Amino acid sequence: MDLRIFTEPQQGATYDTLLTVAKATEELGFDAFFRSDHFLRMGDSDGLPGPTDAWITLAGLARETKRIRLGTLMTAATFRLPGVLAIQVAQVDQMSGGRVELGLGAGWFAEEHTAYGIPFPKEKFGRLEEQLEIVTGLWATDAGKTFDFDGQYYRLKDSPALPKPAQAKIPVLIGGHGASRTPRLAARYADEFNMPFSSVEDTERQFGRVRAAAEKAGRAADTITCSSALVVCVGKDDQEVARRAAAIGREVGELKENGLAGTPAEVVEKIGRYAEAGSTRFYLQVLDLHDLDHLELISAQVQSQLS
């Protein structure tokens, strides 16, 4: 079972802070370092010193780490043209020696688009679908051949489809709560389906939809990895849990209900419930990026029980 560290830098983080967390992620034996792709803070955080670009960050981390996987939950299709995105991700994959994964979503946070002058189209899902076809198509095009695409939103003609990633196939992550279109898209393009911030019951229900969509598309359901993203708040005792909850502005009871919170034993038990629902990989949303002792505790007393 994989445990991955998932960060939200738009809430306030420098590149150096992210580098420190990524190095700790690697040293402590976690499987991957992922980050959100947002340009505006959410909630009461001041967001200082300001946003960092996801793929620029991951390019830097690609050169500063050696083992961990690197990726996004999720890059917004509204932020980048698909051809440019394919080039960026392939380049970072080369820079990392083949450790990159692309989480791609439709985009949803209207205010960050307004704040930075990014168009926020009404029809986002159709654009996401075309982006997935273009990005994966460019990577899959044989060297020496060209790629063409004539869609409703994007058109490519005689693209050399370069550069190529270091990996034969960069894993693509799709996620979300949609009951029909999202599972259908995952069945076609996803190597991994991620269910974010959901109950065990909702997670199991959505995984079932994805499996059914895969089988309907003629694909073996077990070829799609199922994962969960959940906020994490672990303490060696109740007092430490409460201190960490207060540091991120959350209540212990709410965290225990909606995330992975409590003592190591409580968190291991909760992970087991999600595993029974089908999750084999967990993205631990770490909100206090300066509390490296938190990562050490999770590694020593949670991850060790799952490996």
Side-chain angles (χ1 to χ4, degrees), residues 183-217:
R184 175 181 58 79
L185 208 59
R188 183 173 179 186
Y189 294 107
D191 299 284
E192 177 178 335
F193 183 82
N194 180 263
M195 191 61 172
F197 311 114
S198 301
S199 68
V200 173
E201 295 75 20
D202 287 345
T203 297
E204 185 172 25
R205 188 177 303 112
Q206 185 70 333
F207 287 168
R209 294 185 185 118
V210 171
R211 287 192 293 268
E215 291 167 357
K216 184 176 180 179

Coordinates of all heavy atoms in Angstrom, one line a residue, residues 183-217:
P183 N -16.5 8.7 -14.5 CA -16.0 7.2 -14.7 C -15.8 6.9 -16.1 O -14.9 6.1 -16.4 CB -17.2 6.5 -14.1 CG -17.8 7.4 -13.1 CD -17.7 8.8 -13.7
R184 N -16.6 7.4 -17.0 CA -16.4 7.1 -18.5 C -15.0 7.6 -18.9 O -14.3 6.9 -19.7 CB -17.5 7.7 -19.3 CG -17.3 7.5 -20.8 CD -18.4 8.1 -21.6 NE -18.6 9.6 -21.3 CZ -17.8 10.5 -21.9 NH1 -16.8 10.1 -22.7 NH2 -18.0 11.8 -21.6
L185 N -14.7 8.8 -18.5 CA -13.4 9.4 -18.9 C -12.2 8.6 -18.3 O -11.2 8.3 -18.9 CB -13.3 10.8 -18.5 CG -12.5 11.8 -19.3 CD1 -12.9 11.8 -20.7 CD2 -12.5 13.2 -18.7
A186 N -12.4 8.2 -17.0 CA -11.4 7.4 -16.4 C -11.2 6.0 -17.1 O -10.1 5.6 -17.2 CB -11.8 7.1 -14.9
A187 N -12.3 5.4 -17.5 CA -12.2 4.1 -18.2 C -11.4 4.2 -19.5 O -10.7 3.3 -19.9 CB -13.6 3.6 -18.5
R188 N -11.4 5.4 -20.1 CA -10.7 5.6 -21.4 C -9.3 6.0 -21.2 O -8.4 5.5 -21.9 CB -11.4 6.6 -22.2 CG -10.8 6.8 -23.6 CD -11.6 7.7 -24.5 NE -11.0 7.9 -25.8 CZ -11.4 8.7 -26.7 NH1 -12.5 9.4 -26.5 NH2 -10.8 8.8 -27.9
Y189 N -9.0 6.8 -20.2 CA -7.7 7.4 -20.1 C -6.9 7.2 -18.9 O -5.7 7.4 -18.8 CB -7.8 9.0 -20.3 CG -8.3 9.4 -21.6 CD1 -9.6 9.9 -21.8 CD2 -7.5 9.3 -22.7 CE1 -10.0 10.3 -23.0 CE2 -7.9 9.8 -24.0 CZ -9.2 10.3 -24.1 OH -9.6 10.7 -25.4
A190 N -7.5 6.8 -17.8 CA -6.8 6.8 -16.5 C -6.0 5.6 -16.2 O -6.5 4.4 -16.4 CB -7.8 7.0 -15.3
D191 N -4.8 5.8 -15.7 CA -4.1 4.7 -15.1 C -4.4 4.6 -13.6 O -4.3 3.5 -13.0 CB -2.6 4.9 -15.2 CG -2.2 5.0 -16.7 OD1 -2.1 3.9 -17.3 OD2 -2.0 6.1 -17.2
E192 N -4.9 5.7 -13.0 CA -5.3 5.8 -11.6 C -6.5 6.6 -11.5 O -6.7 7.7 -12.2 CB -4.2 6.3 -10.8 CG -4.5 6.5 -9.3 CD -3.3 7.0 -8.5 OE1 -2.2 6.8 -9.0 OE2 -3.5 7.6 -7.5
F193 N -7.5 6.2 -10.7 CA -8.6 7.0 -10.3 C -8.6 7.4 -8.9 O -8.4 6.6 -8.0 CB -10.0 6.3 -10.6 CG -11.1 7.1 -10.3 CD1 -11.6 8.0 -11.3 CD2 -11.8 7.1 -9.1 CE1 -12.7 8.9 -11.0 CE2 -12.9 7.9 -8.8 CZ -13.3 8.8 -9.8
N194 N -8.6 8.7 -8.6 CA -8.5 9.3 -7.3 C -9.9 9.8 -6.8 O -10.5 10.6 -7.5 CB -7.5 10.4 -7.2 CG -7.3 10.9 -5.8 OD1 -7.9 12.0 -5.5 ND2 -6.6 10.2 -5.0
M195 N -10.3 9.4 -5.6 CA -11.5 9.9 -5.0 C -11.1 10.8 -3.9 O -10.5 10.4 -2.8 CB -12.3 8.7 -4.4 CG -13.7 9.1 -4.0 SD -14.7 9.8 -5.3 CE -16.3 9.9 -4.5
P196 N -11.3 12.1 -4.0 CA -10.8 13.1 -3.0 C -11.8 13.4 -1.9 O -13.0 13.6 -2.2 CB -10.5 14.3 -3.9 CG -11.6 14.3 -5.0 CD -11.8 12.8 -5.2
F197 N -11.3 13.4 -0.7 CA -12.0 13.9 0.5 C -13.5 13.4 0.5 O -14.4 14.2 0.6 CB -12.0 15.4 0.4 CG -10.6 16.0 0.2 CD1 -10.3 16.7 -1.0 CD2 -9.6 15.8 1.1 CE1 -9.0 17.1 -1.2 CE2 -8.3 16.2 0.9 CZ -8.0 16.9 -0.3
S198 N -13.6 12.1 0.6 CA -14.9 11.5 0.6 C -15.0 10.4 1.6 O -14.0 9.9 2.1 CB -15.2 10.8 -0.8 OG -15.1 11.8 -1.8
S199 N -16.2 10.1 2.0 CA -16.5 9.0 3.0 C -16.1 7.7 2.4 O -16.0 7.5 1.2 CB -17.9 9.1 3.4 OG -18.7 8.6 2.3
V200 N -16.0 6.7 3.3 CA -15.7 5.3 2.8 C -16.8 4.9 1.9 O -16.6 4.3 0.9 CB -15.6 4.4 4.1 CG1 -15.5 2.9 3.6 CG2 -14.4 4.8 4.9
E201 N -18.1 5.2 2.3 CA -19.2 4.7 1.5 C -19.3 5.4 0.1 O -19.5 4.7 -0.9 CB -20.5 5.1 2.3 CG -20.7 4.3 3.6 CD -19.8 4.8 4.7 OE1 -19.3 6.0 4.6 OE2 -19.6 4.1 5.7
D202 N -19.0 6.7 0.1 CA -19.0 7.4 -1.2 C -17.8 6.9 -2.1 O -17.9 6.8 -3.3 CB -18.9 8.9 -1.1 CG -20.3 9.4 -0.6 OD1 -21.3 8.7 -0.6 OD2 -20.2 10.6 -0.1
T203 N -16.7 6.6 -1.5 CA -15.5 6.1 -2.2 C -15.8 4.8 -2.8 O -15.5 4.5 -4.0 CB -14.3 6.0 -1.2 OG1 -14.0 7.4 -0.7 CG2 -13.1 5.4 -1.9
E204 N -16.4 3.9 -2.0 CA -16.7 2.5 -2.5 C -17.7 2.6 -3.7 O -17.5 1.9 -4.7 CB -17.2 1.7 -1.4 CG -17.5 0.2 -1.8 CD -17.8 -0.7 -0.6 OE1 -18.4 -0.1 0.4 OE2 -17.6 -1.9 -0.7
R205 N -18.7 3.5 -3.6 CA -19.7 3.6 -4.6 C -19.1 4.1 -5.9 O -19.3 3.6 -7.0 CB -20.8 4.6 -4.1 CG -22.0 4.7 -5.0 CD -23.0 5.6 -4.4 NE -23.4 5.1 -3.1 CZ -23.2 5.8 -2.0 NH1 -22.5 6.9 -2.0 NH2 -23.6 5.3 -0.8
Q206 N -18.2 5.1 -5.8 CA -17.6 5.7 -7.0 C -16.6 4.7 -7.6 O -16.5 4.6 -8.9 CB -16.9 7.0 -6.7 CG -16.3 7.8 -7.9 CD -17.4 8.4 -8.8 OE1 -18.5 7.9 -8.9 NE2 -17.0 9.4 -9.5
F207 N -15.8 4.0 -6.8 CA -14.9 3.0 -7.4 C -15.7 1.9 -8.2 O -15.3 1.5 -9.2 CB -14.1 2.3 -6.3 CG -13.1 3.1 -5.7 CD1 -12.4 2.7 -4.5 CD2 -12.6 4.3 -6.3 CE1 -11.4 3.5 -4.0 CE2 -11.6 5.1 -5.7 CZ -11.0 4.7 -4.5
G208 N -16.9 1.6 -7.7 CA -17.8 0.7 -8.4 C -18.2 1.2 -9.7 O -18.2 0.4 -10.7
R209 N -18.5 2.5 -9.8 CA -18.9 3.1 -11.1 C -17.7 3.1 -12.1 O -17.9 2.8 -13.3 CB -19.3 4.5 -10.9 CG -20.6 4.7 -10.1 CD -21.0 6.2 -10.0 NE -22.2 6.4 -9.2 CZ -22.2 7.2 -8.1 NH1 -21.0 7.8 -7.7 NH2 -23.3 7.3 -7.4
V210 N -16.5 3.3 -11.6 CA -15.3 3.3 -12.4 C -15.1 1.9 -13.0 O -14.8 1.7 -14.1 CB -14.1 3.9 -11.7 CG1 -12.8 3.7 -12.5 CG2 -14.3 5.4 -11.4
R211 N -15.1 0.9 -12.1 CA -14.9 -0.4 -12.5 C -16.0 -0.8 -13.6 O -15.6 -1.5 -14.6 CB -15.0 -1.4 -11.3 CG -13.8 -1.3 -10.4 CD -13.7 -2.5 -9.4 NE -14.8 -2.4 -8.5 CZ -14.7 -1.7 -7.3 NH1 -13.6 -1.2 -6.9 NH2 -15.7 -1.7 -6.4
A212 N -17.2 -0.5 -13.3 CA -18.3 -0.8 -14.3 C -18.0 -0.1 -15.6 O -18.2 -0.7 -16.7 CB -19.6 -0.4 -13.7
A213 N -17.6 1.1 -15.6 CA -17.3 1.9 -16.8 C -16.1 1.2 -17.6 O -16.2 1.1 -18.8 CB -17.0 3.3 -16.5
A214 N -15.1 0.8 -16.9 CA -14.0 0.1 -17.5 C -14.4 -1.2 -18.2 O -14.0 -1.4 -19.4 CB -12.9 -0.1 -16.5
E215 N -15.2 -1.9 -17.5 CA -15.6 -3.2 -18.1 C -16.5 -3.0 -19.3 O -16.4 -3.7 -20.3 CB -16.4 -4.0 -17.0 CG -15.4 -4.5 -15.9 CD -16.1 -5.1 -14.7 OE1 -17.4 -5.0 -14.7 OE2 -15.4 -5.6 -13.8
K216 N -17.4 -1.9 -19.3 CA -18.2 -1.6 -20.4 C -17.4 -1.2 -21.6 O -17.7 -1.4 -22.8 CB -19.2 -0.5 -20.0 CG -20.2 -0.1 -21.1 CD -21.2 0.9 -20.6 CE -22.2 1.3 -21.7 NZ -23.2 2.3 -21.3
A217 N -16.2 -0.6 -21.3 CA -15.3 -0.1 -22.4 C -14.4 -1.2 -22.9 O -13.6 -1.0 -23.7 CB -14.5 1.1 -21.9

